[in-house]
Amino acid sequence: MAGHFEATPGGGAAVALDEVEIAILRSLAVQLLELIGPGDEPAEDADPLAALFAEGPSEPPTDPALARLFPEAYGDKDTELRAASAEFRRFTENDLRARKRTDALAVVRTLDALTITGDGGAVLELTGDECRHWLGALNDLRLTIGTRLEVSDEDEGEAGSLYRLPDSDPRKPMVMAYLWLGALQETLVETLMP
């Protein structure tokens, strides 16, 4: 189980993590939360129907990582498509941000609930619902890191170029995190396949 998820009874998954891996995952999830930003949570006595029709931003984010997490719905080739994308974003981005926050918070909470054993590690056991949150968060983390590293489709197809970075390259730690998150994501997907 070390380093990859395995299926557990009841549709969940488990992975053994050491203290360093736990700290890295938690730190990355917290950074993702900071990037996504706080939500505009309605007050408990707020009208739920009004909250349903609350409007979000109509302009795409200027940060390339946020633009990757919240892409244009129809591209930006012409004025008509830009207007349709703006309208779509206005009514969907708030919900998408809330879901991404929920996913990242699930990662933080499940990691915080772990009890480190005497050997400096723990087994993270996830329910089926937690697995789905983790999949969303792992995907968002990879998209964010990949954007920051300027990973292209060619790099994705040829992971070897990422592996061949010299140790002196300042991007190396983030590349290693990017590849590790991809391996975690892949094994988690495999555990959920029927």
Side-chain angles (χ1 to χ4, degrees), residues 29-42 55-57 66 70 93-102 104-105:
V30 167
Q31 290 176 56
L32 180 62
L33 284 166
E34 290 170 355
L35 178 67
I36 293 168
D40 295 327
E41 303 301 322
E55 294 183 17
L66 283 173
F70 306 104
E93 187 170 313
N94 285 346
D95 287 340
L96 186 55
R97 279 182 186 269
R99 195 205 72 212
K100 290 179 182 301
R101 271 191 298 279
T102 299
L105 276 171

Side-chain angles (χ1 to χ4, degrees), residues 56-75:
S58 58
E59 293 297 317
T62 56
D63 181 314
L66 283 173
R68 184 70 175 103
L69 292 175
F70 306 104
E72 291 284 54
Y74 305 109

Side-chain angles (χ1 to χ4, degrees), residues 6-193:
E6 291 183 8
T8 59
V15 63
L17 299 169
D18 64 33
E19 283 184 278
V20 172
E21 292 169 328
I22 293 166
I24 290 169
L25 283 167
R26 189 181 190 292
S27 174
L28 290 172
V30 167
Q31 290 176 56
L32 180 62
L33 284 166
E34 290 170 355
L35 178 67
I36 293 168
D40 295 327
E41 303 301 322
E44 285 188 31
D45 60 343
D47 178 8
L49 192 56
L52 180 65
F53 293 104
E55 294 183 17
S58 58
E59 293 297 317
T62 56
D63 181 314
L66 283 173
R68 184 70 175 103
L69 292 175
F70 306 104
E72 291 284 54
Y74 305 109
D76 59 1
K77 300 288 185 224
D78 63 43
T79 305
E80 194 171 305
L81 289 178
R82 277 195 304 273
S85 283
E87 186 76 1
F88 184 81
R89 178 178 302 281
R90 204 172 85 213
F91 291 108
T92 61
E93 187 170 313
N94 285 346
D95 287 340
L96 186 55
R97 279 182 186 269
R99 195 205 72 212
K100 290 179 182 301
R101 271 191 298 279
T102 299
D103 291 347
L105 276 171
V107 169
V108 171
R109 288 180 177 139
T110 55
L111 292 172
D112 285 352
L114 289 176
T115 302
I116 305 298
T117 61
D119 65 352
V123 174
L124 173 68
E125 294 187 26
L126 302 174
T127 65
D129 284 342
E130 290 169 334
C131 286
R132 285 182 279 290
H133 289 302
W134 267 74
L135 277 176
L138 288 171
N139 187 61
D140 291 342
L141 287 168
R142 289 192 75 240
L143 287 172
T144 301
I145 293 170
T147 301
R148 295 286 191 239
L149 291 170
E150 297 177 350
V151 173
S152 67
D153 289 338
E154 294 80 37
D155 294 328
E156 277 287 323
E158 297 177 25
S161 64
L162 294 176
Y163 285 112
R164 290 190 294 270
L165 280 178
D167 289 342
S168 61
D169 191 311
R171 299 173 299 159
K172 183 78 172 204
M174 287 312 295
V175 166
M176 297 312 295
Y178 175 80
L179 296 171
W180 175 57
L181 291 170
L184 282 176
Q185 183 180 24
E186 182 178 349
T187 62
L188 184 52
V189 167
E190 289 171 359
T191 67
L192 300 176
M193 300 294 274

